Amino acid sequence: DTAVSQTPKYLVTQMGNDKSIKCEQNLGHDTMYWYKQDSKKFLKIMFSYNNKELIINETVPNRFSPKSPDKAHLNLHINSLELGDSAVYFCASRLLGGELFFGEGSRLTVL
Amino acid sequence: AQSVTQLDSQVPVFEEAPVELRCNYSSSVSVYLFWYVQYPNQGLQLLLKYLSGSTLVESINGFEAEFNKSQTSFHLRKPSVHISDTAEYFCAVSAFRGKNFNKFYFGSGTKLNVKP
């Protein structure tokens, strides 16, 4: 039983396309996150939702739009993909005051 | 806001040797501290955490870290490493309270390379 699951694991697409990544957690956590990990392994927080409410938006281009239909799901839609969007995107969830639980990551390659 | 500094980007070490991965943080409020490990092509897994209480925390696979408030450090140590410990290690900090309570800040990572 995967605690935090992301789909797809791999995406390869052309510049200018639109893509979505889905995330689901079965841990009963209230808070979910999207992180971007670049080629140098640096982890940057992008968004966070608490019980379907956006609580963190870290100066991410508005081509990135998160959506949380319920507290167990957090999706990420990216419009007009650019080369610099190539990265691994991690979903994570957290119980109040606890640690982050990460998904396996979704590797996005923009050609 | 909080920040985390991992001074060593790479640490090569021979199998069965001891190792220390350094982590320093800055914060104006009390913090929770974490070490995560990332194996190739995988997500991050929690290695150990400091929330409160004893400043020395241990993991099930022999790692330990000590919270030092005066030096704002949370260094990770293992007395004898194995080949299987080869991975990227990330230190992270989260504010105990305040407007940054929900944010996790990560260091830039330290690649531990254990050689036979």
Side-chain angles (χ1 to χ4, degrees):
Chain A
D1 286 348
T2 306
V4 182
S5 58
Q6 302 178 222
T7 53
K9 280 199 77 168
Y10 300 95
L11 304 96
V12 180
T13 189
Q14 301 286 331
M15 274 176 53
N17 285 350
D18 304 339
K19 287 292 176 188
S20 292
I21 308 171
K22 295 187 176 183
C23 178
E24 176 182 4
Q25 55 96 1
N26 62 5
L27 298 166
H29 293 167
D30 288 327
T31 309
M32 295 184 72
Y33 300 76
W34 280 112
Y35 276 84
K36 178 181 179 181
Q37 187 175 47
D38 63 23
S39 57
K40 294 184 179 178
K41 301 290 187 183
F42 185 71
L43 278 157
K44 185 179 188 314
I45 188 169
M46 300 174 69
F47 302 103
S48 179
Y49 272 75
N50 180 266
N51 209 7
K52 301 193 295 177
E53 180 187 347
L54 181 66
I55 56 172
I56 297 172
N57 184 341
E58 286 287 291
T59 60
V60 177
N62 57 16
R63 298 182 295 103
F64 290 77
S65 51
K67 281 196 171 47
S68 181
D70 56 62
K71 73 174 193 177
H73 295 84
L74 179 60
N75 304 322
L76 183 65
H77 187 75
I78 316 170
N79 289 325
S80 304
L81 280 156
E82 301 177 356
L83 292 176
D85 297 332
S86 295
V88 182
Y89 292 85
F90 285 102
C91 177
S93 71
R94 180 191 190 193
L95 204 54
L96 195 67
E99 67 266 28
L100 287 175
F101 288 78
F102 282 86
E104 291 288 300
S106 297
R107 182 177 294 275
L108 171 64
T109 303
V110 182
L111 304 174
Chain B
Q2 289 70 46
S3 67
V4 180
T5 302
Q6 292 181 246
L7 290 169
D8 307 303
S9 60
Q10 293 192 55
V11 173
V13 64
F14 286 105
E15 196 173 18
E16 297 183 8
V19 72
E20 178 180 82
L21 307 185
R22 296 180 292 169
C23 172
N24 288 90
Y25 70 93
S26 68
S27 176
S28 57
V29 299
S30 296
V31 295
Y32 299 133
L33 292 157
F34 307 84
W35 276 100
Y36 282 82
V37 59
Q38 185 179 27
Y39 298 103
N41 298 316
Q42 293 188 25
L44 281 78
Q45 303 169 32
L46 181 71
L47 193 58
L48 42 77
K49 62 185 177 185
Y50 171 77
L51 302 181
S52 65
S54 173
T55 57
L56 184 66
V57 290
E58 299 177 353
S59 72
I60 56 172
N61 57 354
F63 283 94
E64 65 178 31
E66 185 157 21
F67 170 53
N68 188 320
K69 190 174 181 179
S70 62
Q71 297 188 9
T72 60
S73 68
F74 191 55
H75 300 330
L76 181 70
R77 300 184 184 94
K78 189 170 185 181
S80 176
V81 293
H82 302 290
I83 296 283
S84 59
D85 292 325
T86 294
E88 191 90 27
Y89 291 80
F90 293 92
C91 183
V93 62
S94 176
F96 189 75
R97 63 181 182 278
K99 66 172 186 170
N100 290 320
F101 173 65
N102 280 301
K103 291 188 181 180
F104 259 69
Y105 295 93
F106 284 85
S108 52
T110 298
K111 177 74 196 300
L112 176 64
N113 187 10
V114 182
K115 305 175 188 178

